């Protein structure tokens, strides 16, 4: 074969993608060193390798050279911490053709289990472009794997995913919803509920951030009010006292906002973790059923692998159910912080009204302007809290449905 023929063959492989049915799932099991120990028929067929070529080989036998090292660095860092991980992966078959998968990798005794499905959500082209850009940066800047992984996390944050756990929860549920659409079947009701919860948690974080930004912009107003009151001498004593009280209460709000932001982040984290675990349990349930219908392979113990898949499915079912109750508790804690902020806000409003009355007697424009600034912050606080309370009610309803409705739990 000439160099031109070889180049043409490589270009053909690069330009052509292997497609497989949305109903098809495949899995592979590796040992702790990443060497393949078992898999199903779909994995072998799509990879294009014979079982004799796969067994005992490193799983990177199907790795595509256009995958950035960052993706695998994040994956292995998480797996070494015994954390389940989801990721978009471009693989390469034995003939050089590519195929995209969404992989869910979970630790098991003695190694790892990877279940893959065909991705099709709106996130796929976004991730594909991010990978391509990052691969170029890895080469041009000679990034180490940790540096590249940090770049990927920064890009995900810029796309609206502050943590990789957030990205996993959102991406896996998006892929399952898209897959269900292609297969013309309704989405899993519990996964759909988590989709609603993730959307609500995003708005909660935005509302909390708006309140925090409003506080930062107006945090010096009480101090400026005290300065202006002192310049008025005895006439400004009442305003000075009111301003001091306002500043003290405002300080309590600042501390309350710190706790409030943490509580909001904990709710979001619990929701995304729960979404990923529940979606993982659904995929593992399906692959266990698919593998149970396959003909036994002479290359590994089919019965033992089927048993392992069922055990992993049951393990993640239990984790998914447990996490639902964790989400419920975090939502309760969050509600307590919201009502504490609302209580403090009511106190601020009362103090501001008294200040406005005193400033009216003095007829001083500067004091009126400063009190108007305080009122502006309280408007931000009031609107933000109203939005948050409405969202919190929606979150509580969705969580209650996850916890209470028996049919939803029975489908886990």
């Amino acid at each position: 074969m000439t160099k031109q023929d070889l180049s043409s063959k490589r270009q053909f492989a690069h330009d052509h993608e292997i497609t497989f049915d949305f109903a098809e799932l495949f899995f592979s099991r590796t040992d702790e060193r990443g060497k393949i120990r078992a898999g199903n028929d779909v994995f072998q067929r799509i990879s294009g390798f014979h079982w004799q070529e796969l067994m005992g080989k490193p799983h990177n036998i199907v790795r595509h050279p256009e995958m950035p090292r960052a993706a695998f660095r994040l994956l292995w860092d998480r797996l070494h911490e015994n954390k389940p991980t989801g990721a978009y992966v471009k693989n390469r078959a034995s003939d050089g053709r590519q195929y995209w998968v969404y992989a869910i990798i979970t630790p098991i005794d003695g190694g790892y289990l990877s279940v893959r499905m065909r991705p099709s959500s709106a996130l796929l082209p976004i991730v594909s472009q991010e990978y391509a850009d990052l691969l170029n940066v890895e080469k041009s800047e000679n990034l180490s794997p940790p540096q590249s992984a940090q770049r990927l996390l920064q890009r995900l944050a810029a796309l609206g995913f502050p943590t990789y756990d957030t990205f996993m929860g959102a991406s896996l549920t998006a892929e399952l919803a898209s897959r269900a659409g292609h297969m013309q079947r309704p989405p899993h009701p519990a996964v759909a509920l988590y989709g609603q919860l993730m959307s609500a948690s995003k708005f909660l974080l935005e509302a909390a951030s708006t309140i925090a930004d409003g506080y930062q912009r107006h945090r010096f107003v009480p101090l400026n009010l005290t300065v202006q009151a002192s310049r008025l001498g005895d006439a400004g004593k009442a305003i000075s006292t009111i301003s001091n009280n306002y500043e003290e209460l405002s300080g309590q709000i600042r501390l309350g906002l710190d706790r409030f932001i943490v509580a909001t982040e904990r709710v979001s984290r619990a929701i995304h973790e729960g979404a990923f675990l529940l979606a993982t349990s659904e995929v593992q349930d399906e692959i266990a059923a698919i593998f149970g219908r396959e003909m036994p392979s002479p290359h590994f113990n089919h019965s033992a692998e089927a048993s392992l898949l069922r055990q992993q499915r049951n393990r993640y079912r239990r984790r998914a159910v447990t996490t639902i109750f964790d989400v419920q508790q975090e939502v309760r804690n969050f509600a307590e912080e919201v009502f504490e902020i609302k209580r403090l806000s009511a106190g601020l409003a009362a103090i501001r009204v008294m200040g406005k009355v005193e400033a009216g007697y003095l007829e001083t424009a500067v004091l009126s302007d400063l009190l108007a600034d305080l009122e502006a912050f309280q408007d931000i606080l009031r609107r933000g809290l109203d939005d948050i309370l409405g969202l919190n009610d929606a979150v509580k309803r969705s969580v209650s449905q996850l916890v209470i409705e028996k049919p939803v739990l029975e489908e886990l």
Side-chain angles (χ1 to χ4, degrees), residues 211-212 215 246-260 340-349 377-378 381 385:
I211 292 175
Y215 175 84
Y246 194 106
E247 187 169 14
E248 182 179 350
L249 197 54
S250 179
Q252 294 179 38
I253 282 201
R254 179 184 61 77
L255 296 175
L257 282 174
D258 291 343
R259 296 193 300 271
F260 174 70
E340 174 62 13
I341 292 291
K342 193 170 181 63
R343 183 187 67 80
L344 293 172
S345 175
L348 280 183
F377 167 60
Q378 284 198 276
L381 187 57
L385 287 174

Side-chain angles (χ1 to χ4, degrees), residues 10-49:
R10 287 174 177 169
Q11 188 62 43
F12 175 84
H14 181 273
D15 294 341
H16 289 75
E17 184 172 351
I18 297 175
T19 58
F20 54 99
D21 196 87
F22 285 102
E24 294 185 297
L25 296 177
F26 55 102
F27 88 92
S28 53
R29 180 178 64 83
T30 68
D31 61 19
E32 292 176 339
R33 296 175 297 172
K35 293 188 175 182
I36 299 169
R37 297 305 177 193
N40 68 334
D41 293 343
V42 182
F43 168 54
Q44 183 272 320
R45 188 191 82 232
I46 294 175
S47 73
F49 292 98

Side-chain angles (χ1 to χ4, degrees), residues 76-319:
W76 281 108
D77 282 350
R78 290 180 59 86
L79 291 178
H80 289 156
E81 295 175 1
N82 206 37
K83 294 179 179 178
T85 302
Y88 289 92
V89 180
K90 180 193 283 190
N91 285 333
R92 183 169 65 175
S94 62
D95 62 2
R97 288 185 296 165
Q98 66 184 37
Y99 59 98
W100 278 95
V101 299
Y102 190 95
I104 305 168
I105 308 98
T106 55
I108 56 173
D109 291 341
Y112 307 98
L113 175 69
S114 175
V115 183
R116 276 94 79 195
M117 63 181 173
R118 179 180 173 181
S120 60
S121 80
L123 279 171
L124 176 59
I126 296 173
V127 171
S128 176
Q129 186 60 55
E130 290 294 333
Y131 280 3
D133 293 344
L134 185 55
L135 186 67
N136 289 332
V137 173
E138 285 182 346
K139 294 176 181 177
S140 64
E141 299 184 20
N142 194 28
L143 297 181
S144 66
Q147 290 173 327
S148 182
Q150 190 60 37
R151 288 287 184 91
L152 179 54
L153 290 175
Q154 290 170 355
R155 286 300 305 148
L156 290 176
L159 291 170
F161 306 104
T163 67
Y164 196 75
D165 286 293
T166 305
F167 173 71
M168 291 196 314
S171 59
L172 180 51
T173 52
E175 291 304 334
L176 284 183
S178 180
R179 180 172 179 260
H182 284 287
M183 296 173 66
Q184 297 185 333
R185 69 183 191 188
H188 191 293
V191 174
L193 281 171
Y194 263 118
Q196 297 171 20
L197 284 168
M198 285 188 289
S199 295
S201 72
K202 179 181 179 180
F203 288 121
L204 281 175
L205 286 169
E206 290 174 355
S209 178
T210 298
I211 292 175
D213 289 344
Y215 175 84
Q216 286 299 316
R217 290 197 306 271
H218 297 88
R219 68 187 186 279
F220 294 120
V221 174
L223 177 61
N224 292 335
L225 192 61
T226 300
V227 171
Q228 290 299 323
S230 67
R231 291 175 178 173
L232 296 172
D234 291 340
K237 283 185 178 180
I239 287 290
S240 180
T241 300
I242 290 171
S243 178
N244 289 337
N245 291 337
Y246 194 106
E247 187 169 14
E248 182 179 350
L249 197 54
S250 179
Q252 294 179 38
I253 282 201
R254 179 184 61 77
L255 296 175
L257 282 174
D258 291 343
R259 296 193 300 271
F260 174 70
I261 295 294
V262 170
T264 309
E265 291 171 346
R266 286 175 64 91
V267 167
S268 178
R269 185 164 55 247
I271 287 172
H272 283 84
E273 180 184 358
F276 182 78
L277 290 174
L278 188 141
T280 294
S281 72
E282 181 188 354
V283 174
Q284 289 178 338
D285 182 62
E286 193 170 344
I287 189 63
I290 290 172
F291 188 67
R293 295 191 295 267
E294 290 186 3
M295 294 293 293
S297 169
H299 300 284
F300 48 81
N301 188 324
H302 187 277
S303 177
E305 295 302 323
S307 176
L308 187 149
L309 285 172
R310 290 192 297 271
Q311 291 172 20
Q312 194 75 338
R313 173 200 63 192
N314 294 338
R315 183 177 297 114
Y316 275 83
R317 275 182 177 177
R318 291 191 296 270
R319 288 186 63 177

